[in-house]
Amino acid sequence: MKQYDPSKCRSRIFVCILYPEDPSQAHAIQLLTNGTYQAVGILHDQDIQLDESTGEIRIDPATGQPAFKKPHFHFVLRFKNAKYLLALSKELAIEPNYLRPSSDFRAACRYLIHLDTPEKFQYPVDTLIGSLTTQALAAMDDTTEDQKVLQILDLIESSGYLSSATLIRLCAKQGLWSSLRRGGIWFTNALHEHNDLVCRREKKD
């Protein structure tokens, strides 16, 4: 792991790990989840302990089942301008060692749900929290633009009468808002055609 001097470290992106059982970190968790900071996070409560020397799964002697790590939050923070690590740790009232700089927002977001480590528990995307959730979903998405267009058309065609507001809401929840916005008039036309067809069918019935 790359070594750095915390007193000189500055970055636009930081990753952070916090433990909800630690009362001293409760305020930081609140700040990172209530929109005060541009951040996205997730609670890891299904991580398995591994033996540091052998790498094998540790077994809980009381249950005979794999032992879990303590529940902990992972957060990714992003700033418009570079920020000093020590200054951020003071703002959050946590020790500097709970923060690390990152140069890759996409990779940091993908780690939140263990997207690139299939041997670990795969956390669902709907458990992500924080103001950067939509941006994180877009950053970790491997879907091509053509596939996103087809997904939006499927949303339209698989629905009954669909308002523009409902379509926007559905797309935003699935990380498709950017594609919908870029498609502009094309999706508007497709929505109108779909709604006209639904209305004609209802009149026949």
Side-chain angles (χ1 to χ4, degrees):
M1 183 177 294
K2 182 179 179 181
Q3 297 297 314
Y4 60 91
D5 182 350
S7 64
K8 299 179 181 178
C9 175
R10 31 192 324 264
S11 178
R12 291 182 59 250
I13 302 169
F14 288 92
V15 294
C16 178
I17 183 170
L18 297 171
Y19 293 86
E21 69 173 19
D22 186 342
S24 69
Q25 298 182 3
H27 182 60
I29 292 173
Q30 181 182 19
L31 291 176
L32 296 179
T33 56
N34 68 5
T36 302
Y37 287 87
Q38 289 291 294
V40 58
I42 193 170
L43 177 65
H44 280 200
D45 56 3
Q46 298 296 318
D47 288 1
I48 301 296
Q49 291 185 24
L50 299 179
D51 187 281
E52 294 182 0
S53 59
T54 66
E56 295 181 354
I57 295 175
R58 287 184 175 177
I59 302 299
D60 184 342
T63 64
Q65 300 297 318
F68 290 100
K69 294 181 179 179
K70 292 180 181 179
H72 55 280
F73 282 99
H74 284 281
F75 288 99
V76 181
L77 297 81
R78 187 166 67 179
F79 299 92
K80 183 176 181 180
N81 299 308
K83 197 175 188 71
Y84 280 101
L85 184 150
L86 288 183
L88 180 58
S89 70
K90 289 180 180 178
E91 289 178 13
L92 296 175
I94 59 175
E95 293 298 321
N97 58 293
Y98 289 106
L99 289 163
R100 282 196 174 277
S102 174
S103 59
D104 192 332
F105 180 72
R106 180 175 183 271
C109 290
R110 289 171 71 89
Y111 180 77
L112 294 176
I113 60 172
H114 291 159
L115 193 58
D116 298 316
T117 49
E119 70 277 9
K120 294 185 178 182
F121 182 82
Q122 299 296 291
Y123 290 93
V125 295
D126 61 6
T127 57
L128 291 169
I129 53 176
S131 58
L132 283 180
T133 297
T134 300
Q135 294 90 326
L137 289 172
M140 67 176 70
D141 190 5
D142 288 327
T143 309
T144 66
E145 190 65 21
D146 289 344
Q147 290 172 322
K148 291 180 180 178
V149 169
L150 294 175
Q151 288 177 4
I152 294 173
L153 291 176
D154 285 342
L155 281 177
I156 294 173
E157 294 168 359
S158 63
S159 303
Y161 187 88
L162 192 65
S163 69
S164 296
T166 301
L167 177 60
I168 291 171
R169 186 175 293 107
L170 289 172
C171 289
K173 287 182 177 179
Q174 298 190 32
L176 297 170
W177 162 243
S178 294
S179 296
L180 179 67
R181 177 166 49 83
R182 285 194 294 271
I185 189 65
W186 300 105
F187 290 124
T188 299
N189 290 340
L191 180 62
H192 288 163
E193 290 175 358
H194 169 75
N195 286 338
D196 287 344
L197 181 59
V198 170
C199 290
R200 289 199 298 270
R201 286 174 178 171
E202 290 179 347
K203 287 181 179 179
K204 288 182 180 180
D205 296 338

